[in-house]
Amino acid sequence: MESGMISVDKWSSGSQAYFLTHLHADHTAGLSAAWRRGPLFCSRLTAKLFPCKFPEFDLSLLRVLDIGCWDTLSLTSPSSGSPATVYVKAIDARHCPGSVMFLFRGEFGCMLYTGDFRWEKSVDGTNMGSTMLLDALEDHKLDSLCLDNTYCNPKYSFPSREVAARQVVDIITAHPDHDIIIGIDSLGKEDLLLYISSVLNIKIWVWPERLQIMHLLGFVDNFTTKTTLTRVRAVPRYSFGIDTLESLNTFKPTIGILPSGLPWAMKYVTGNKRLFCSPSASLNNKTNFRPEISNCSKIQDSTGASADDKRYYKHIHVVPYSDHSCFVEIQEFIELLRPINIKGIVSSSSSYIDPRYYFGHLCGTKQASWRVHQKLENEKGVDMIGEGVDKVEGAPVKLETPPMSGMKRRLDHVDFFGIRVSRVSLLRRLSRGARISDHEELV
DNA sequence: GCGATCAGAT
DNA sequence: CACATCTGATCGC
């Protein structure tokens, strides 16, 4: 395969232009201060935050894309050497500050790379983004949608971040004499913290580097690094464990709140209906988003919680505050765009489901072609799409994980209708890059 | 010794 | 099931 033109969240050599959706570490793996491979396109806010993450980075390499504005790239076709123009527009992805999707138009057709995104219905930013996307498409078909399929399964159902934020506030107000620690990452969940701060009229402690981020984001009054000013502290999520909580509780009653995507806590849902069954379980009655699991007051029963689980939930409250779209939101997004093809950008070793399993019927004009294509490929014994893709004609099914040996051979690139998708590691969630080549056929 | 990658953890 | 991140081990140069 010759070199391509464009890479998104992927930093190996061979492209003429590089795009960064947002500054989370799993999307910047491979970027460093020594980066010299070409112009790096990102949103204005990402560019502003960039030096926090890469202090020595040569900022003259950054190219800011303003949200909603077309930009034109004059590139060279790797195969023919002739000029090739690519148009790109950034759309707010509503995942974390600075996060964007990229809509590309070029010889390869029209392609949207979502990066990580949350598409909550009836939220202003989402509605604006929808309008922008439809306007940008005009009457073009979206040939290819590279989709954040993190929760691309109907079992993933969680409330809006607004509702989840109220749950967090309810938990805090139900513990008036406790210290509160909230696990967050280096970027994201700012709206949650601002909501807590404004509703409860308190400052929130953050660690010094995080305060710097808050200031860059324009939040100057709600956060502090002085522990004496507040009982609510936001701490790095990785520092957030049972041992920490237990040890804190020897000094002062303290609870932890983990605003998190659902899967990590899923084991407490399936089978024993134990999700969010923490000390304040009764709080969830008003705001719980799934009635069948709201009745979880039997934390002491004998349905199988381990001793560690009990230790954990004695102090730690998991709240379903997610910066990724839930299944229904993904569905609505696809219904809005009606792409011809969909490709998931997130894969993991044990549970990759091709988005077309659930959404193939929503795809545009080529909806039938996939199955024909699959049938042909299956007969040839070639799996074009990768591990976990169905081999059954007709209604797709989730496949068992193929043997490791087979997976490892496909780590590098997977051809998918003209888009080269990088699989850096299937054991972890590092494979989120895509490269577009101009000389490949796009169905 | 350094950066990239991997493994395991929360 | 699996987020985003850290630490520490290992690999290749």
Side-chain angles (χ1 to χ4, degrees):
Chain A
M1 188 80 65
E2 298 90 337
S3 64
M5 300 173 72
I6 285 168
S7 291
V8 184
D9 293 348
K10 178 180 181 299
W11 310 105
S12 51
S13 61
S15 287
Q16 298 165 54
Y18 293 82
F19 290 80
L20 173 63
T21 59
H22 64 289
L23 271 173
H24 280 157
D26 53 335
H27 294 254
T28 59
L31 264 185
S32 72
W35 169 263
R36 291 290 181 275
R37 290 196 168 124
L40 194 167
F41 292 82
C42 62
S43 70
R44 188 166 294 281
L45 189 48
T46 293
K48 187 176 184 179
L49 298 169
F50 211 91
C52 292
K53 188 141 187 124
F54 301 103
E56 308 293 313
F57 196 92
D58 178 3
L59 296 178
S60 71
L61 292 170
L62 295 188
R63 302 283 184 276
V64 167
L65 292 174
D66 279 311
I67 286 170
C69 301
W70 283 111
D71 205 338
T72 306
L73 283 73
S74 297
L75 304 179
T76 304
S77 169
S79 51
S80 67
S82 55
T85 303
V86 174
Y87 303 93
V88 59
K89 180 183 282 201
I91 309 283
D92 187 354
R94 306 190 51 74
H95 170 70
C96 71
S99 67
V100 286
M101 314 179 180
F102 294 114
L103 179 65
F104 296 99
R105 270 161 65 171
E107 303 172 355
F108 47 80
C110 198
M111 193 271 257
L112 179 67
Y113 190 99
T114 67
D116 294 346
F117 78 107
R118 177 98 201 242
W119 216 244
E120 290 158 313
K121 205 172 191 174
S122 305
V123 169
D124 284 348
T126 305
N127 295 335
M128 260 180 54
S130 297
T131 304
M132 262 185 211
L133 279 169
L134 293 178
D135 287 351
L137 282 171
E138 300 172 12
D139 49 359
H140 291 78
K141 263 287 182 192
L142 182 59
D143 297 291
S144 177
L145 174 63
C146 293
L147 177 75
D148 171 12
N149 56 319
T150 305
Y151 296 134
C152 191
N153 187 314
K155 74 182 177 183
Y156 297 130
S157 164
F158 38 76
S160 69
R161 285 176 287 199
E162 186 186 352
V163 168
R166 280 202 291 271
Q167 292 181 14
V168 172
V169 166
D170 287 346
I171 291 168
I172 295 172
T173 55
H175 296 81
D177 300 319
H178 282 69
D179 274 7
I180 313 286
I181 64 174
I182 304 171
I184 61 169
D185 294 313
S186 60
L187 192 61
K189 310 282 196 296
E190 290 77 13
D191 289 346
L192 169 64
L193 300 181
L194 286 170
Y195 180 77
I196 295 166
S197 172
S198 65
V199 169
L200 301 179
N201 194 29
I202 51 173
K203 284 185 189 288
I204 294 178
W205 181 94
V206 291
W207 63 101
E209 294 82 0
R210 199 58 158 94
L211 186 69
Q212 190 193 353
I213 301 269
M214 295 303 193
H215 286 170
L216 282 174
L217 294 173
F219 311 134
V220 290
D221 296 326
N222 301 280
F223 302 98
T224 179
T225 51
K226 294 189 176 127
T227 44
T228 53
L229 293 184
T230 178
R231 68 184 179 100
V232 178
R233 309 196 293 280
V235 304
R237 190 172 54 180
Y238 56 83
S239 71
F240 195 107
I242 307 174
D243 294 341
T244 312
L245 260 295
E246 288 185 346
S247 128
L248 284 169
N249 271 279
T250 64
F251 299 101
K252 171 139 199 213
T254 305
I255 59 164
I257 296 175
L258 202 49
S260 169
L262 199 51
W264 190 83
M266 260 324 252
K267 66 174 179 169
Y268 298 98
V269 176
T270 51
N272 59 18
K273 300 186 176 181
R274 194 177 289 276
L275 182 64
F276 314 137
C277 211
S278 37
S280 63
S282 59
L283 278 175
N284 292 326
N285 289 338
K286 269 189 217 160
T287 49
N288 203 295
F289 57 100
R290 287 178 60 178
E292 74 271 23
I293 61 171
S294 65
N295 180 25
C296 59
S297 57
K298 304 184 188 68
I299 193 165
Q300 306 292 359
D301 73 8
S302 56
T303 50
S306 71
D308 274 354
D309 289 343
K310 286 178 178 168
R311 274 178 78 203
Y312 194 84
Y313 284 93
K314 182 174 179 189
H315 298 300
I316 297 180
H317 301 243
V318 179
V319 177
Y321 189 103
S322 172
D323 287 324
H324 295 268
S325 300
C326 67
F327 180 80
V328 168
E329 290 162 354
I330 295 173
Q331 179 169 35
E332 288 166 353
F333 188 71
I334 293 169
E335 283 169 345
L336 176 79
L337 297 173
R338 294 274 167 175
I340 290 170
N341 278 306
I342 307 177
K343 174 73 180 80
I345 62 178
V346 177
S347 63
S348 67
S349 60
S350 50
S351 75
Y352 177 80
I353 299 179
D354 191 290
R356 291 168 301 178
Y357 172 74
Y358 292 113
F359 301 129
H361 67 286
L362 297 175
C363 289
T365 56
K366 297 298 179 69
Q367 117 182 21
S369 72
W370 177 52
R371 287 173 190 163
V372 174
H373 178 83
Q374 277 297 293
K375 188 168 191 294
L376 291 171
E377 292 304 326
N378 291 344
E379 284 164 2
K380 284 194 297 186
V382 175
D383 176 2
M384 282 264 301
I385 295 147
E387 71 290 348
V389 174
D390 99 28
K391 303 274 193 205
V392 180
E393 193 181 356
V397 295
K398 181 186 173 187
L399 286 192
E400 306 169 84
T401 305
M404 287 298 286
S405 57
M407 291 164 59
K408 283 198 167 151
R409 243 177 280 121
R410 272 194 288 272
L411 287 182
D412 284 338
H413 292 94
V414 176
D415 289 336
F416 175 70
F417 299 122
I419 297 163
R420 291 172 65 189
V421 175
S422 164
R423 294 257 170 88
V424 178
S425 165
L426 293 175
L427 295 173
R428 310 183 61 209
R429 302 186 62 261
L430 292 176
S431 58
R432 291 172 164 195
R435 176 185 296 166
I436 302 168
S437 295
D438 70 333
H439 58 286
E440 298 167 57
E441 183 193 3
L442 191 81
V443 173

